[in-house]
Amino acid sequence: MEGQSMPARSTKSGRPRLLQMICIFIVALIVLVGLAVLIFWLAVRPKRLIYTIEDAKVYGFGLHKNSLNASFDFVVRAYNPNRRMSVYYDSMDVSVAYGDEKIAFSPVEPFYQPRHNVTKLEVKPVAHNFALLGAVASDMRHEKGTGEIEVTIRMRARIRYKVGVVKSAHYKLRVVCKRVEVSLNSSRGFNRAYCNVHT
Ligand SMILES: *[C@@H]1O[C@H](CO)[C@@H](O)[C@H](O)[C@H]1NC(C)=O
Ligand SMILES: *[C@@H]1O[C@H](CO)[C@@H](O)[C@H](O)[C@H]1NC(C)=O
Ligand SMILES: *[C@@H]1O[C@H](CO)[C@@H](O)[C@H](O)[C@H]1NC(C)=O
């Protein structure tokens, strides 16, 4: 009886040992990858990109019934505070909203932003004979009397980070700049507006 059970036991314990080895290997791999990510993170310490609107003007403003003409001219300051990480902007677009309605749109040429760099983008979204919703048009007509209109500027981009020679996958970048006061008199000054950045 004992002689029969001996070989049976050794073949039984052979498989669990292989499984055990595989488990140890997988755990070790996870720990190693985790450590690599941690070391990379500590070395690079990624910081969030910082966006502000430095200037906002509007030219050719015309509002007739529900139809809007407006040529916006924005200076966007994009700051990459990272000392070890540069950014590829593979696509980007800027939109202007008044209330909930998107009134103008402009694409931005793809660009590369080096490490620790400030890039100023000039973007010029245009509303040409744009049909506003009735309520939006009457709000705007009302606000026009104050000499300035308040808009929300939104930017969407597809970006990749680069550290050394390593490039990341694509990330979506969303920038929202609320309550940007655009004076209808372009010779009046502008107060810098700060934006929220989400990746
Ligand atoms: C917008 O501009 C066009 C010409 O470019 C003009 O025909 C139209 O009347 C203007 N609309 C408003 C509301 O100013
Ligand atoms: C930021 O990078 C751009 C593009 O390479 C360059 O033209 C610009 O001079 C840089 N700005 C600063 C402040 O270094
Ligand atoms: C625009 O603003 C400037 C400076 O504040 C002022 O001198 C000028 O009269 C204004 N123009 C209009 C049309 O309101």
Side-chain angles (χ1 to χ4, degrees), residues 112 114 117-119:
Y112 169 71
N117 170 272
V118 170
T119 296

Side-chain angles (χ1 to χ4, degrees), residues 78 111-120:
F111 66 100
Y112 169 71
Q113 183 168 39
R115 299 170 290 163
H116 204 65
N117 170 272
V118 170
T119 296
K120 285 197 176 159

Side-chain angles (χ1 to χ4, degrees), residues 26-87:
I26 289 171
V27 169
L29 200 65
I30 290 169
V31 168
L32 275 178
V33 169
L35 265 178
V37 169
L38 182 69
I39 289 167
F40 182 79
W41 189 264
L42 287 176
V44 176
R45 283 183 194 264
K47 289 193 197 113
R48 201 168 271 186
L49 304 169
I50 296 169
Y51 274 77
T52 51
I53 307 294
E54 298 292 304
D55 197 11
K57 290 184 164 68
V58 60
Y59 299 100
F61 186 87
L63 181 60
H64 182 65
K65 296 211 173 98
N66 285 6
S67 172
L68 174 74
N69 283 344
S71 300
F72 294 97
D73 190 346
F74 301 135
V75 177
V76 178
R77 179 182 185 269
Y79 171 43
N80 173 14
N82 293 289
R83 291 183 181 279
R84 292 191 182 83
M85 213 163 70
S86 54
V87 186

Side-chain angles (χ1 to χ4, degrees), residues 105-172:
F105 175 87
S106 167
V108 174
E109 283 292 305
F111 66 100
Y112 169 71
Q113 183 168 39
R115 299 170 290 163
H116 204 65
N117 170 272
V118 170
T119 296
K120 285 197 176 159
L121 306 166
E122 189 165 14
V123 284
K124 302 181 171 183
V126 173
H128 183 69
N129 277 332
F130 186 83
L132 296 171
L133 297 172
V136 175
S138 70
D139 280 354
M140 193 183 277
R141 189 165 298 114
H142 196 255
E143 206 181 346
K144 193 183 153 199
T146 68
E148 56 185 24
I149 57 167
E150 190 182 279
V151 298
T152 300
I153 300 174
R154 286 195 179 82
M155 286 165 263
R156 288 184 320 173
R158 261 165 71 80
I159 62 171
R160 279 173 302 156
Y161 298 106
K162 187 178 169 218
V163 178
V165 293
V166 182
K167 291 175 195 164
S168 77
H170 276 106
Y171 287 88
K172 273 187 196 147

